[in-house]
Amino acid sequence: MIASVAGRVAAVSPDGAVVEVGGIGLAVQCTPGTIARLQVGESARLATSLVVREDSLTLYGFADDDERQLFELLQTANGVGPRLAQAVLAIHPPRDVRRAVATGDLKALMQVPGIGKKGAERLVLELRDRLGAPTGDVSLDAVAAAAGATGSAAVAPVAPWRDQLTTALVGLGWTVREAEGALAQLAPVVEEQVAATGSVDIAVLLRQALRLLGRS
């Protein structure tokens, strides 16, 4: 198993990145939140999980080891494959996933594209005793901000933030119109961030955009 990769980021796309390790470019599938923290040309470390199929080898990358562990645990539930497990982590950080499962919050789980009421009920039933209890009581936005503060840079210059987020949301399955509608609602948040720091925090905005789209 390839537990992690570290090296220069050679390329970034809506659904992943290429990390150069020992002269080899490894394609790594990532959530938009992880992709938002990566910058081409800079060094990065990703916790990884290798999914082996008869016709493919796919490497999934995560911001930290906890995300990777949760990714693997989610797949122990019936009907949950790697793509759906990754979609869960694209919508909710690990703490919120554990809280939703522990408290039976079906509405939160149903915000994930591909999970209906029955699927959410199955996740709660099968994973409640496997995921562990959530720790603390930190909000979704605070988790995203903390991840950006302690990991790779999560802030971006003001100019490209809209394009980055639109690309990430479209990569997750929403239309350009839906993505732009969600970002328009975040204008006050962007103004506050720019006024305070002169830049915008991509990770925080992405989490909030996903929450808005999940409600619609």
Side-chain angles (χ1 to χ4, degrees), residues 55-66:
D55 58 350
S56 66
L57 295 174
T58 306
L59 195 62
Y60 290 85
F62 308 92
D64 54 41
D65 294 335
D66 187 39

Side-chain angles (χ1 to χ4, degrees), residues 173-185:
W174 280 282
T175 66
V176 172
R177 182 176 180 179
E178 289 171 331
E180 291 179 344
L183 298 184
Q185 295 182 61

Side-chain angles (χ1 to χ4, degrees), residues 160-174:
W161 72 269
R162 186 178 292 274
D163 290 340
Q164 290 182 36
L165 287 173
T166 300
T167 299
L169 293 170
V170 171
L172 272 177
W174 280 282

Side-chain angles (χ1 to χ4, degrees), residues 31 54 61 67 78 85 89-90 141 147-148 189 213:
T31 64
E54 290 184 2
E67 279 195 1
N78 289 327
L89 291 169
D141 299 339
V189 179
L213 288 166

